[in-house]
Amino acid sequence: MMKTMRSSGLLRYQNRWGAVFVLPALLFFSVFNFFPILNALYTSLFQKKVLSLDPPEFIGLENYRYLLASSSFWNSLRATMVFTLGTFIPLLIVSLLLAVLISQRRFGRKFLQIAYYSPAVLSSVVAAAIWLLIFDPRGLANQWVNYIMRTPGVDHNWFSNAVMVQIAAMLVYFWKYVGYFVIIFIAGIAGIPTAMYEAARIDGATSWQCFWRITLPLLKPTVALVSIMSMLQCLKTFSTQYLFVQSGAPQAPINVITMNIYNTGIRDHRIGRASAMSIILFIIMLFFTWLQFKSMKTDEVTY
Amino acid sequence: MTGTSFFSRRWFASVSAKIIIWGILCVSLCFILAPLLFMLTAAFMPAGDIVKMPYRWIPRGFFLSNFVKAVAGNDGSFIFFRNLFNSLVVAVTVSVTTVLLSSLTGYSLSKFHYRGRDAIFMLIMATMMIPFEAIMIPLYIVVTKIGIQNSYTGLILPFLVNAFGIFMMRQYLITFPDELIDAARVDGMSEFAIYRRIILPNSGPVIATLAILSFRTQWDNLLWPLLIAQTEKMKTLPLYIVKFSTEKYTDEGAMMAVALLASIPMFILFFALNQYFIKGAALFSARKG
């Protein structure tokens, strides 16, 4: 009875509604994602200034040639790469370690999760503002470092030294996101059947062996996913560096790509050049996304 | 009776391991919580007490004039409240539209069969690879051209829905029981009524997770408002914080007071609904096939 009622005509009528429901999103993505990226690609081939009345002049790959010869752009690439590597490697290692330690606790697990996660709740500008004061010459950062290194009264020039200001930016990011990745890893570890550990225990394995032989191999997909995700996040960093520079830190060491795009396009009105930079950023991120898909395919795990 | 086993090597090793583990947890916990505690205490201190060695972790009293300065601003315009309101308008609107559009699209992509459905899904997923930072300049030009810069429409429009939300809703709705939908059809409900009265009310936890995710992203958004909010009246909270904390006359106490005020809504949400925050993050640990 049901079968005859849901004849192909009725089914087609229903499915037509499905196609209608997808239209608003499709329209949105066309206008606000696909059009702009194609537009950026197109604009990157022109010399275009936002306020000028002259029609934009077609210059082919001149913008790209200019960028690849410009020391400021290479500096941005360097700053972004240093920031990305310097942030995501410690993030990955520390959050994995903490997640393993927290997962073993029977008591206080929930409290620890919430506590570690809490900085991630703050907005990035607030996080940067807090650390701005901590890095003050008379602030907490100097006090802590001097206490640990037994060097009373030394100012470590967090904002005037080119190396220190990069470390400062990494530290803010690390602090804000470490708890976020701890949560992801805890969820990943919780997905590993406890029977595997019990079996290993019966065979006389130590906790150390359990980690290297069970936890880490089975967590591989999560590790791959987290590393790519944090890398993509780091490549897009902006707020911390922007606030630091606005409050007087030197710009060159932390002039990441997004800040360079912003300054070139919005402050200097060089739309063509900024678009070329956007396309290069897009290609870099595309490469990492491709890497993510590739690693996910080869790293499939069966329990 | 327990004498020998109590002091055995094994016992000793396990106790020292425990001490090391708790040591690591305590030190890292201090590192995580100290800046938060610093913000909380410094907000109630006069500037002289904050940049002082050593830092005193307990305020001498409640120095509330920090908060007055924070909301009044250095020019005494009280634009803080307007910026706070703007942030709320943008974040709430974006959460609502993201939830509605993601669930509608996810419903279509999971429960209907029409030609090109899977291609459309792939196309939408492909937008995840386009970083906002790479399209902000073209978007800025379009928005300026149609004249919606410096308006709520301009602040909201590029974020109405996102691929990740659609992905989340689709994954959830794939497992949604078909019997429920078919029963509603037999009862003569229209397809849109099924979406509104069956799908939406039965997706509570996913919707909460998605709404919180969208709210936070917008609450945190600095780059887009920086591009298009030109007058003080249209600025959002992150812009206010940047402006206020980089102004010459701002003292440290007022700076932390404004940071604290801006974080209160998020912390209230976090403590009330922390399982959804954690669920949102834990989503990424899901193994994908």
Side-chain angles (χ1 to χ4, degrees), chain B:
Chain B
M1 188 190 105
T2 49
T4 46
S5 67
F6 209 76
F7 293 106
S8 67
R9 253 186 81 192
R10 204 182 168 137
W11 174 85
F12 192 74
S14 89
V15 165
S16 54
K18 271 212 173 95
I19 291 173
I20 292 172
I21 288 172
W22 277 108
I24 295 175
L25 287 178
C26 284
V27 169
S28 57
L29 206 58
C30 284
F31 169 74
I32 292 291
L33 294 181
L36 290 176
L37 193 64
F38 172 76
M39 168 175 79
L40 191 66
T41 51
F44 294 101
M45 287 181 187
D49 279 5
I50 296 170
V51 278
K52 194 178 161 196
M53 297 203 218
Y55 181 70
R56 40 180 310 141
W57 287 95
I58 300 152
R60 272 185 284 200
F62 287 102
F63 192 72
L64 291 174
S65 73
N66 281 342
F67 289 91
V68 177
K69 270 189 229 163
V71 296
N74 286 323
D75 50 359
S77 62
F78 286 94
I79 201 77
F80 172 85
F81 291 111
R82 179 62 197 258
N83 293 168
L84 174 74
F85 176 74
N86 292 347
S87 265
L88 281 172
V89 168
V90 172
V92 169
T93 316
V94 167
S95 307
V96 171
T97 61
T98 305
V99 164
L100 291 180
L101 278 171
S102 300
S103 51
L104 188 65
T105 316
Y107 176 42
S108 159
L109 291 173
S110 60
K111 291 293 178 206
F112 293 91
H113 300 276
Y114 47 88
R115 212 187 317 169
R117 186 191 77 164
D118 294 335
I120 290 175
F121 179 61
M122 288 315 287
L123 203 64
I124 291 176
M125 286 304 105
T127 63
M128 276 208 238
M129 290 183 224
I130 305 176
F132 181 76
E133 289 72 7
I135 55 172
M136 66 182 180
I137 301 282
L139 272 180
Y140 165 76
I141 293 171
V142 170
V143 161
T144 326
K145 229 169 228 167
I146 47 180
I148 53 167
Q149 82 278 30
N150 208 27
S151 72
Y152 289 121
T153 322
L155 284 170
I156 291 165
L157 214 50
F159 306 104
L160 285 182
V161 65
N162 59 70
F164 182 72
I166 291 174
F167 175 74
M168 224 167 107
M169 288 308 302
R170 175 181 175 271
Q171 293 310 89
Y172 169 76
L173 289 174
I174 280 176
T175 60
F176 197 86
D178 285 321
E179 293 78 17
L180 226 58
I181 298 172
D182 283 335
R185 279 190 187 133
V186 171
D187 285 351
M189 257 193 202
S190 76
E191 296 299 319
F192 189 75
I194 292 174
Y195 162 71
R196 205 168 60 89
R197 312 224 331 241
I198 309 281
I199 301 288
L200 274 186
N202 286 302
S203 313
V206 199
I207 286 179
T209 310
L210 185 57
I212 286 173
L213 213 64
S214 320
F215 188 91
R216 291 175 62 189
T217 317
Q218 287 314 308
W219 193 255
D220 196 7
N221 197 352
L222 170 71
L223 200 47
W224 184 243
L226 190 64
L227 295 192
I228 68 154
Q230 284 132 353
T231 58
E232 296 300 322
K233 273 193 166 169
M234 280 319 292
K235 285 187 173 165
T236 54
L237 214 46
L239 286 175
Y240 180 82
I241 299 171
V242 169
K243 187 181 72 103
F244 188 70
S245 52
T246 54
E247 271 171 350
K248 223 180 187 169
Y249 304 104
T250 306
D251 74 52
E252 286 80 358
M255 201 169 139
M256 286 301 95
V258 85
L260 185 60
L261 286 176
S263 313
I264 286 174
M266 285 323 295
F267 272 115
I268 291 176
L269 269 184
F270 180 55
F271 286 118
L273 303 164
N274 58 61
Q275 78 264 32
Y276 295 113
F277 281 75
I278 288 173
K279 215 178 267 165
L283 269 177
F284 292 99
S285 76
R287 298 178 301 279
K288 288 181 202 161

Side-chain angles (χ1 to χ4, degrees), chain A residues 241-253:
Chain A
Q241 283 82 354
Y242 181 73
L243 188 66
F244 277 14
V245 169
Q246 289 294 308
S247 49
Q251 185 176 15

Side-chain angles (χ1 to χ4, degrees), chain A residues 156-192:
Chain A
H156 295 277
N157 294 320
W158 294 93
F159 277 139
S160 41
N161 182 307
V163 176
M164 293 310 270
V165 75
Q166 295 183 58
I167 294 178
M170 291 174 199
L171 215 57
V172 175
Y173 214 84
F174 175 83
W175 173 75
K176 186 169 185 295
Y177 285 106
V178 68
Y180 182 71
F181 292 116
V182 167
I183 300 281
I184 298 180
F185 279 129
I186 287 179
I189 291 171
I192 299 174

